[in-house]
């Protein structure tokens, strides 16, 4: 029998220990976050390049007019702050004093600290907490505490939290509201999988969360500071053994993918329709993201093209050496690239199939693409507006040099472009479509039968039953 959840005190309110996952670039906004809070939970506004509105309530397109990347980066920071502030204000109005409103940022997004300062300065008294992941956000606690706002770091291992706690968080412990454990094998979006962990060998989250609680206890953190389980959560009845478990202490649950299919969800109808047809195994844990992190998204045409592009890849040498004794005669227009005999034959086959242009990667390999693909890649790279602190695709880095010092990687993609497109009506097959690995449940869960799309309140009520 499902035990049921008990309310907790958060942000000065009694709320359900149910957190709406903050999905970046307009996939979570004021409408969904405000409704989640109004239903008694913790709603989360994405503060990652959020939408602003004109006087008539229409979304203001984020157009970048500056000529240099550094200047476009400044435009992006202003868009991000203005948009997130507007989203918070609207979410608080919808919440009507119920629940709580958090904001979510990615530590590795461009200008993250400036954006966080800008948003918190202009939303004093509105935001209860800041969730933050995608990197090691050491300064999160310091910034949040300076505005008397709670912080909720998103981590994927006890080891990561221990490093954050010892270096920074212990100095602002009173503002630590919860620790979000995001399962790196099951959560949607960017994942905190380390190089020591096998992406093909998922680990049971229980011992990992138990280890996190033990680490928190070592730091003197009370058991009533919740660990928020994120990633792979669908039916709470499946997590019955976690509730009121003395080994784990206080547990809350985060839902990222499931709130996408609600009436208040801001994602386009085509995206919502696609969610109802996802099959088990159709979400891919991959490493094409320009952030360098693993991430999970629906394996649509967009990802298949990236997989195929990387498969059309051969190593090269700039002089004849070892097995590289054959000069490449396709795709490189007379330049000196030496490859193996087998790779020369493969390259000729690709060239004959229309993949006529070879692009260098930072790893001394060549990938073969069509002329149209090459043009799109080069344009996207030149249009870079610095949306990440460092980007493998464009070689942008938020530093004095504005460069990572590495060759731009054509095997990746412009993440800002594709996330903005899919969030604002672009084709779901030809854009990155983040989702958790449990998204196939939309098709199986009887709650969604006959095309039913719930309101956020109906979804929260349903979750509280254990289903």
């Amino acid at each position: 029998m499902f035990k049921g959840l008990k309310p907790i005190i958060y942000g000065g309110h009694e709320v359900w220990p149910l957190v709406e996952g903050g999905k970046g670039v307009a996939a979570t906004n004021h409408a969904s976050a405000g409704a989640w809070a109004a239903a008694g939970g913790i709603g989360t506004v994405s503060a990652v390049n959020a939408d602003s509105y004109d006087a008539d309530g229409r979304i203001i397109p984020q157009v970048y007019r500056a000529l240099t990347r550094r200047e476009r980066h400044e435009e992006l920071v202003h868009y991000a702050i203005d948009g997130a502030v507007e989203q918070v204000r609207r979410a608080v109005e919808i919440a009507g004093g119920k629940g709580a409103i958090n904001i979510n940022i990615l530590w590795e997004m461009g200008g993250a600290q400036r954006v966080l300062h800008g948003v918190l300065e202009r939303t004093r008294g509105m935001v209860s907490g800041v969730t933050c992941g995608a990197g090691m956000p050491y300064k999160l606690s310091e910034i949040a505490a300076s505005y008397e706002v709670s912080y909720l770091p998103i981590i994927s291992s006890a080891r990561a939290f221990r490093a954050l706690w010892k270096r920074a968080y212990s100095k602002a412990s009173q503002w630590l509201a919860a620790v979000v454990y995001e399962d790196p094998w099951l959560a949607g979006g960017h994942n905190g999988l380390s190089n020591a962990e096998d992406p093909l060998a998922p680990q049971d989250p229980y011992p990992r969360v138990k280890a996190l609680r033990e680490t928190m206890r070592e730091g003197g953190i009370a058991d009533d500071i919740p660990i928020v389980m994120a990633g792979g959560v669908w039916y709470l009845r499946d997590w019955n053994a976690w509730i009121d478990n003395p080994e784990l202490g206080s547990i809350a649950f985060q839902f990222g993918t499931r709130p996408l299919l609600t009436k208040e969800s801001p994602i386009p109808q085509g995206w919502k329709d696609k969610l109802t047809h996802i099959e088990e195994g159709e979400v891919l844990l991959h490493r094409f993201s320009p952030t360098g992190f693993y991430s999970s998204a629906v394996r649509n045409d967009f990802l298949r093209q990236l997989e195929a592009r990387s498969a059309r890849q051969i190593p090269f040498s700039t002089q004849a050496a070892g097995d590289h004794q054959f000069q490449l005669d396709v795709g490189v227009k007379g330049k000196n690239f030496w490859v193996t005999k087998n790779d020369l034959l493969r390259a000729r086959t690709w060239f004959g199939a229309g993949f006529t242009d070879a692009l260098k990667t930072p790893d001394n390999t060549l990938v073969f693409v069509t002329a149209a693909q090459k043009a799109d890649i080069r344009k996207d790279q030149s249009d870079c507006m610095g949306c990440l602190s460092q980007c493998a695709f464009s070689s942008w880095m938020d530093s004095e040099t504005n460069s990572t010092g590495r060759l731009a990687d054509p095997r990746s993609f412009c993440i800002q472009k594709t996330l903005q497109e899919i969030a604002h009506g672009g084709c779901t097959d030809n854009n990155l479509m983040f989702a958790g690995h449990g998204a196939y449940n939309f098709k199986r869960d009887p709650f969604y039968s006959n095309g039913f799309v719930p309101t956020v309140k109906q979804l929260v009520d349903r979750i509280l039953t254990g289903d």
Side-chain angles (χ1 to χ4, degrees):
M1 180 180 294
F2 177 55
K3 294 177 183 176
L5 294 179
K6 300 181 182 69
I8 61 173
I9 301 298
Y10 177 78
H13 298 271
E14 187 176 79
V15 302
W16 292 114
L18 301 176
V19 182
E20 177 194 25
K23 298 163 286 296
V25 187
T28 306
N29 73 352
H30 67 278
S32 59
W36 194 273
I42 301 171
T44 307
V45 165
S46 171
V48 183
N49 302 115
D51 288 330
S52 296
Y53 306 92
D54 64 19
D56 296 319
R58 293 173 299 206
I59 293 172
I60 299 173
Q62 294 190 13
V63 178
Y64 296 88
R65 296 180 171 84
L67 297 179
T68 69
R69 286 183 181 177
R70 172 51 63 182
E71 291 172 325
R72 290 195 295 271
H73 176 71
E74 293 302 312
E75 290 180 284
L76 177 134
V77 169
H78 288 299
Y79 275 133
I81 293 172
D82 289 346
V85 169
E86 180 64 19
Q87 296 296 336
V88 168
R89 288 173 176 165
R90 291 182 176 219
V92 168
E93 184 177 342
I94 292 170
K98 298 178 181 177
I101 297 294
N102 284 349
I103 62 172
N104 177 70
I105 69 164
L106 307 179
W107 196 247
E108 291 300 322
M109 75 183 191
Q113 295 184 46
R114 292 173 60 196
V115 171
L116 187 53
H117 275 293
V119 176
L120 292 179
E121 175 63 38
R122 292 168 55 185
T123 58
R124 290 179 182 271
M126 301 181 201
V127 173
S128 294
V130 181
T131 57
C132 181
M136 292 292 281
Y138 289 109
K139 289 188 175 293
L140 171 64
S141 56
E142 176 187 331
I143 296 172
S146 69
Y147 296 94
E148 299 186 343
V149 168
S150 296
Y151 62 99
L152 303 83
I154 302 172
I155 53 87
S156 295
S157 69
R159 180 182 178 185
F161 180 74
R162 180 181 284 110
L164 291 165
W165 178 258
K166 287 186 174 181
R167 178 168 167 178
Y169 293 177
S170 59
K171 301 171 187 175
S173 59
Q174 69 272 33
W175 296 103
L176 177 68
V179 178
V180 182
Y181 171 79
E182 188 174 72
D183 189 298
W185 291 276
L186 295 176
H190 289 103
N191 308 92
L193 204 63
S194 74
N195 290 329
E197 292 163 331
D198 186 347
L200 300 178
Q203 295 180 19
D204 180 358
Y206 187 92
R208 294 170 67 91
V209 172
K210 181 173 177 287
L212 172 58
R213 177 59 73 186
E214 290 167 354
T215 299
M216 292 169 66
R217 287 168 177 158
E218 289 170 9
I221 301 170
D223 275 11
D224 62 355
I225 300 295
I227 293 175
V228 182
M229 179 60 210
V233 181
W234 194 272
Y235 301 117
L236 285 186
R237 52 180 157 82
D238 294 337
W239 303 82
N240 211 32
W242 290 49
I243 300 170
D244 297 329
N245 185 325
E247 282 192 328
L248 302 181
S250 178
I251 292 289
F253 297 93
Q254 179 169 299
F255 293 83
T257 300
R258 207 167 171 185
L260 286 172
L261 193 59
T262 57
K263 292 191 181 301
E264 293 90 345
S265 169
I267 65 173
Q269 189 60 46
W271 189 346
K272 292 181 181 181
D273 293 341
K274 176 64 177 176
L275 288 171
T276 65
H277 294 91
I278 293 173
E279 301 287 353
E280 187 169 6
E282 197 175 343
V283 174
L284 178 69
L285 179 61
H286 66 89
R287 208 169 189 178
F288 294 113
S289 172
T291 62
F293 294 116
Y294 282 93
S295 64
S296 292
V298 176
R299 193 168 179 256
N300 57 7
D301 286 348
F302 181 85
L303 279 187
R304 288 191 184 94
Q305 288 181 27
L306 288 170
E307 290 177 289
R309 184 187 302 172
S310 282
R312 294 189 303 273
Q313 181 174 191
I314 55 174
F316 69 86
S317 174
T318 54
Q319 58 188 9
D323 294 335
H324 292 66
Q325 296 293 332
F326 298 84
Q327 189 168 14
L328 188 61
D329 56 8
V330 292
V332 291
K333 296 183 179 177
K335 296 179 182 177
N336 288 321
F337 291 98
W338 298 83
V339 299
T340 67
K341 182 178 182 179
N342 184 53
D343 284 343
L344 175 61
L345 296 176
R346 295 168 70 206
R348 288 173 175 172
T349 299
W350 296 330
F351 186 88
F355 300 101
T356 56
D357 293 78
L359 302 177
K360 289 174 65 177
T361 80
D363 301 319
N364 290 326
T365 63
L366 296 166
V367 292
F368 281 74
V369 298
T370 67
Q373 288 171 338
K374 176 183 177 180
D376 286 342
I377 290 169
R378 293 302 189 221
K379 183 178 188 309
D380 289 345
Q381 289 172 333
S382 67
D383 288 345
C384 174
M385 72 293 288
C387 73
L388 299 173
S389 63
Q390 50 186 327
C391 175
F393 179 67
S394 68
S395 79
W396 157 269
M397 187 174 184
D398 190 5
S399 64
E400 290 184 5
T401 64
N402 296 335
S403 173
T404 61
R406 300 192 78 210
L407 189 68
D409 195 335
R411 296 167 297 186
S412 189
F413 56 91
C414 176
I415 196 165
Q416 179 74 198
K417 173 186 173 183
T418 187
L419 292 182
Q420 288 284 2
E421 284 188 1
I422 193 170
H424 297 103
C427 177
T428 57
D429 283 333
N430 297 325
N431 284 295
L432 183 67
M433 183 179 172
F434 281 140
H437 289 257
Y440 65 89
N441 282 302
F442 283 122
K443 191 173 182 179
R444 298 185 179 186
D445 190 335
F447 184 54
Y448 301 96
S449 60
N450 299 317
F452 176 66
V453 176
T455 64
V456 166
K457 177 66 165 62
Q458 288 171 322
L459 174 59
V460 170
D461 289 346
R462 176 77 172 189
I463 289 170
L464 288 169
T465 69
D467 288 336

